[in-house]
C-alpha cells in the first residue's frame, strides 16, 4: 500500500500570517460598512465585542490545528472528536462559509473598483446595481477558470500584499487619530437604546463576525507548515494582535468622520449608507477637510486604498475558492461526498467539479442583488455570519471533547485557563466562546436578516438529504461509519502497512464499548429503559452531589437566560432571540462533558 502524496512543508510562521491576514485583514474593507448600518455610533464597540469572540476562536483553532495539522479546520476537528456524520455536517456548513466568502469578497472588490470611476471613466458603469452584480459574477467566473487551470498566488505575493495592507491600515489609523478623530463627536453619536436600538446593536455584533472572515486559513494551510506546533500558534497570535488593533481604531475614526444623525425620523450614518460598499474609501475622503494638504492627501489616499482593496479582495476571493476545492476534495476522499467531487482534471490535476459547483453557488448568492439592491450586502454578510458561527461553535465543542477522548494526543500548544474535570481539563475559552457564539447564532437565526435564515436552513437540509441518499446508495450506515486511522504527521515511519479485514475496522460506538465491559445482566432481571439507565450511570459516575449540582447549574442558567429574554426588562426585546443559543450550547457542552468523562 502506498501513502497518498502530501503537500511539501515549506511555510513558516510569516507565510501563514501573510495568508491569514490577507483574508482576515481584508474583511475590514466590507465589514465596517455593514456593521455601521446596524450599530451606528456603537460600531467600534460592536467590533471590539466581536473581537473578544474572535480571540477565543483563534486560540481554539491554534490548539486544534497544532495537534491535528490537516486541512479541514472545524470539520477535521469534528470528525476526530465525534464521528464522520457530524464532521460532514460541519464541513457542509463550512462550504457555505467559503461560498459566502467568495461572494462577498468579489462583490466588494468591484465596489472599490467602482469607487475609482471618477478617475477612470471605464469603471463608472460598475456603480450601477445591475452593472455591479454582473461584474461580480464575471469576476467569480474568471477566478473559477483560474482555479481549474491551477494558478495559485505565491507565498511571496501574499506576504508583500499582506504587509502592504497592514502598513496601509496602520498609517490610516495614525493619520486618522492625528487629523480626524474627535472623541466628543464619537460620544455624542451614541444614544443608548435609540441610536442604535438594543436589538440592532446585538445584530451589529452578530454581523461584525464577518470581520474575521478567513480565520480557518491557517488551519487549511497547516499541512504545508514546516513546524505546525510552533508556527501555527505564533502566526495566530500575530493575526489576533494586528486585527484587534485595526478593528479598535479604524471604526472609531469612521464614526468620528460620519457620526449618526437624524434623517426623516430615523438615525443613520453615511458610513452605513452611502459608503456601505466602500467604507474605507469613505473614511479617507474625510482628509479633504484638513487645511492645506487635505485635498491632495484625500486624492492619493482614495486611489491607493481603491487599488489595494481591489487587489487584496480578489486574492481573498481566490483563497475562498481554494478553500472550497481543498475542503470538498477532503470530504470526497473521506467518502462523505460523492467521489465525483474529488475527481481531478485530466490535464490540470485540480478538483474542477467542486470548483465549478460551489463557484456557481457563490455567483448565485450574488444574483439577488438585482432585485434587493441595497440589502444585498446584508444578505451576504448574514449568510456568512450564520455559517461561520455554526462552524466556530462546533470547533469549540470539538476541541473541548478532544481533551477527554484523546487526553494523550500530542498538543504543542494548549490554551490557558483550564478547569480540572475527571481525567482531563475543561478549556475555559472553549466553553465561554461556545456560549457566546451560540448566542450570536441564535440572534441571527431569529432576526432572519433578508431571509438569510431560510437560505441557511435550505443549505443545511440539502446537505443532510444528500448525505442520507449518498450513504444509502453506497449501502453504508448513516451513523458510526467505518473509520480509518489518521495519517502520520511526518513520513518517517517506513514500516509497511498491513491491511486489516473490514470487520476489524468497523467502528463500534463508544457507548457500546463501555457497555461491552459491563457484567452480563441476569436473565430474570427485567431490562430497564435506556433513558433511566443513562441517568443512573450519570449519577453513579459523578456522584449524587456533583450530578445534582451540574443539573441544577444548567437548569438555573437556562431558566435565567430564557426568563430575561422573555421579560419586559430585556433591552433587546421581550421575545425569544438570544437565549435559545445559550440553552442549546450549554446543553451540548454538558452532554459532551458527561459523555467524555465516562468514555475511554
Amino acid at each position: 500500500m502506498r501513502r497518498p502524496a502530501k503537500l511539501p512543508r515549506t511555510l513558516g510562521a510569516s507565510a501563514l500570517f501573510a495568508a491569514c491576514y490577507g483574508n482576515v485583514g481584508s474583511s475590514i474593507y466590507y465589514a465596517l460598512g455593514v456593521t455601521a448600518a446596524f450599530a451606528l455610533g456603537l460600531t467600534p464597540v460592536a467590533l471590539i465585542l466581536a473581537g473578544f469572540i474572535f480571540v477565543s476562536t483563534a486560540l481554539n483553532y491554534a490548539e486544534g490545528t497544532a495537534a491535528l495539522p490537516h486541512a479541514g479546520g472545524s470539520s477535521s476537528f469534528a470528525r476526530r472528536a465525534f464521528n464522520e456524520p457530524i464532521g460532514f455536517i460541519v464541513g457542509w456548513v463550512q462550504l457555505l462559509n467559503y461560498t459566502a466568502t467568495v461572494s462577498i469578497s468579489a462583490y466588494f472588490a468591484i465596489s472599490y473598483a467602482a469607487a475609482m470611476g471618477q478617475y477612470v471613466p471605464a469603471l463608472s458603469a460598475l456603480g450601477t446595481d445591475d452593472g455591479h452584480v454582473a461584474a461580480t459574477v464575471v469576476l467569480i467566473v474568471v477566478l473559477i477558470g483560474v482555479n481549474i487551470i491551477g494558478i495559485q498566488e505565491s507565498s511571496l505575493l501574499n506576504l508583500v500584499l499582506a504587509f502592504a495592507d497592514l502598513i496601509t491600515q496602520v498609517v490610516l489609523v495614525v493619520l486618522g487619530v492625528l487629523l480626524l478623530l474627535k472623541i466628543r463627536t464619537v460620544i455624542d453619536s451614541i444614544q443608548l437604546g435609540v441610536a442604535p436600538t438594543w436589538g440592532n446593536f446585538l445584530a451589529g455584533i452578530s454581523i461584525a463576525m464577518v470581520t474575521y472572515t478567513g480565520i480557518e486559513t491557517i488551519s487549511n494551510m497547516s499541512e504545508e507548515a514546516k513546524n505546525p506546533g510552533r508556527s501555527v500558534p505564533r502566526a495566530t497570535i500575530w493575526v489576533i494582535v494586528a486585527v484587534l488593533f485595526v478593528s479598535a481604531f479604524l471604526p472609531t475614526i469612521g464614526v468620528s468622520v460620519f457620526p449618526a444623525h437624524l434623517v426623516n425620523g430615523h438615525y443613520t450614518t453615511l458610513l452605513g449608507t452611502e459608503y456601505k460598499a466602500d467604507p474605507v474609501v469613505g473614511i479617507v475622503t474625510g482628509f479633504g477637510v484638513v487645511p492645506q494638504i487635505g485635498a491632495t492627501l484625500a486624492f492619493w489616499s482614495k486611489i491607493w486604498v481603491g487599488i489595494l482593496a481591489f487587489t487584496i479582495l480578489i486574492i481573498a476571493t481566490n483563497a475562498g475558492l481554494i478553500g472550497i476545492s481543498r475542503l470538498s476534495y477532503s470530504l470526497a476522499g473521506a467518502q462523505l461526498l460523492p467521489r465525483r467531487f474529488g475527481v481531478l482534471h485530466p490535464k490540470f490535476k485540480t478538483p474542477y467539479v467542486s470548483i465549478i459547483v460551489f463557484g456557481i453557488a457563490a455567483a448565485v448568492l450574488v444574483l439577488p442583488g438585482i432585485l434587493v439592491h441595497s440589502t444585498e450586502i446584508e444578505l451576504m454578510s448574514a449568510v456568512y455570519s450564520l455559517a461561520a458561527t455554526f462552524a466556530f461553535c462546533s470547533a469549540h465543542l470539538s476541541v473541548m471533547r478532544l481533551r477527554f477522548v484523546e487526553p494523550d494526543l500530542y498538543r504543542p500548544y494548549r490554551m490557558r485557563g483550564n478547569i480540572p474535570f475527571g481525567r482531563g481539563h475543561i478549556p475555559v475559552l472553549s466553553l465561554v466562546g461556545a456560549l457566546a457564539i451560540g448566542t450570536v447564532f441564535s440572534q441571527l437565526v431569529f432576526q432572519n436578516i433578508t431571509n438569510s435564515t431560510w437560505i441557511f436552513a435550505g443549505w443545511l437540509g440539502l446537505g443532510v438529504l444528500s448525505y442520507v441518499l449518498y450513504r444509502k446508495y453506497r449501502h453504508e450506515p448513516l451513523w458510526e461509519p467505518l473509520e480509518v486511522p489518521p495519517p502520520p504527521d511526518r513520513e518517517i515511519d517506513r514500516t509497511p502497512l498491513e491491511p486489516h479485514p473490514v470487520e476489524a475496522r468497523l467502528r463500534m460506538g463508544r457507548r457500546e464499548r463501555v457497555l461491552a465491559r459491563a457484567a452480563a445482566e441476569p436473565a430474570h432481571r427485567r431490562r430497564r429503559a435506556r433513558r433511566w439507565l443513562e441517568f443512573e450511570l450519570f449519577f453513579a459516575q459523578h456522584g449524587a452531589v456533583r450530578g445534582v449540582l451540574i443539573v441544577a447549574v444548567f437548569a438555573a442558567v437556562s431558566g435565567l437566560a430564557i426568563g430575561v429574554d422573555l421579560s419586559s426588562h430585556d433591552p433587546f426585546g421581550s421575545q425569544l432571540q438570544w437565549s435559545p443559543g445559550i440553552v442549546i450550547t450549554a446543553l451540548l457542552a454538558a452532554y459532551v462533558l458527561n459523555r467524555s468523562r465516562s468514555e475511554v
Side-chain angles (χ1 to χ4, degrees), residues 353-365:
V353 175
S354 298
I355 296 173
I356 292 174
V357 170
F358 294 105
I360 292 175
V364 170
L365 187 59

Side-chain angles (χ1 to χ4, degrees), residues 237-273:
I237 292 174
W238 290 351
V239 171
I240 290 173
V241 173
V243 170
L244 290 184
F245 173 80
V246 174
S247 298
F249 285 98
L250 203 58
T252 306
I253 298 169
V255 173
S256 181
V257 176
F258 301 112
H261 58 282
L262 197 62
V263 176
N264 297 327
H266 299 281
Y267 282 92
T268 185
T269 172
L270 293 179
L271 197 62
T273 54

Side-chain angles (χ1 to χ4, degrees), residues 477-492:
L478 298 179
W479 199 252
E480 298 287 351
L482 295 180
E483 180 185 63
V484 178
D489 185 37
R490 301 285 193 275
E491 289 196 24
I492 59 175

Side-chain angles (χ1 to χ4, degrees), residues 467-480:
Y467 177 81
V468 171
L469 294 178
Y470 180 62
R471 302 296 288 194
K472 291 292 185 182
Y473 170 76
R474 293 180 56 85
H475 303 288
E476 294 182 356
L478 298 179
W479 199 252
E480 298 287 351

Side-chain angles (χ1 to χ4, degrees), residues 11-303:
L11 302 181
S14 59
L16 293 175
F17 166 78
C20 189
Y21 190 79
N23 293 329
V24 180
S26 65
S27 306
I28 196 68
Y29 290 109
Y30 51 79
L32 180 54
V34 68
T35 303
F38 287 92
L40 299 176
L42 287 177
T43 297
V45 180
L47 286 167
I48 291 173
L49 291 177
F52 290 140
I53 300 176
F54 165 72
V55 170
S56 67
T57 303
L59 294 177
N60 190 81
Y61 271 90
E63 176 176 324
T65 304
L68 305 173
H70 310 294
S74 56
S75 175
S76 177
F77 304 160
R79 285 165 56 189
R80 183 71 171 258
F82 296 98
N83 55 15
E84 290 188 346
I86 294 179
F88 168 79
I89 293 298
V90 176
W92 181 258
V93 174
Q94 273 185 277
L95 287 174
L96 178 60
N97 188 352
Y98 284 122
T99 300
T101 298
V102 171
S103 302
I104 197 169
S105 299
Y107 188 89
F108 277 87
I110 300 300
S111 297
Y112 280 93
M116 295 185 289
Q118 55 181 317
Y119 311 119
V120 183
L123 299 176
S124 59
L126 301 178
T128 62
D129 291 329
D130 294 345
H132 195 153
V133 172
T136 303
V137 173
V138 170
L139 176 59
I140 293 175
V141 171
V142 169
L143 290 178
I144 289 174
V146 168
N147 278 271
I148 291 175
I149 295 174
I151 300 175
Q152 300 181 10
E153 71 275 15
S154 66
S155 297
L156 179 60
L157 178 61
N158 267 346
L159 187 64
V160 171
L161 286 175
F163 278 103
D165 182 46
L166 179 59
I167 292 172
T168 299
Q169 292 176 359
V170 170
V171 170
L172 287 178
V173 167
V174 173
L175 292 177
V177 170
L178 295 177
L179 303 177
L180 302 177
L181 184 60
K182 299 177 183 178
I183 299 298
R184 176 50 56 185
T185 301
V186 176
I187 295 175
D188 292 341
S189 182
I190 300 173
Q191 299 187 38
L192 296 177
V194 177
T197 63
W198 288 112
N200 282 342
F201 175 59
L202 187 58
I205 298 174
S206 305
I207 292 296
M209 292 298 298
V210 78
T211 309
Y212 310 108
T213 302
I215 188 57
E216 288 196 340
T217 303
I218 292 180
S219 178
N220 285 328
M221 299 184 69
S222 61
E223 289 188 9
E224 303 173 63
K226 293 179 183 177
N227 186 353
R230 183 176 181 182
S231 57
V232 167
R234 181 176 296 180
T236 302
I237 292 174
W238 290 351
V239 171
I240 290 173
V241 173
V243 170
L244 290 184
F245 173 80
V246 174
S247 298
F249 285 98
L250 203 58
T252 306
I253 298 169
V255 173
S256 181
V257 176
F258 301 112
H261 58 282
L262 197 62
V263 176
N264 297 327
H266 299 281
Y267 282 92
T268 185
T269 172
L270 293 179
L271 197 62
T273 54
E274 182 177 345
Y275 294 104
K276 182 168 62 175
D278 47 8
V280 180
V281 168
I283 291 176
V284 299
T285 59
F287 290 135
V289 300
V290 179
Q292 299 178 349
I293 64 170
T296 303
L297 183 60
F299 174 80
W300 290 109
S301 296
K302 286 182 65 176
I303 293 179

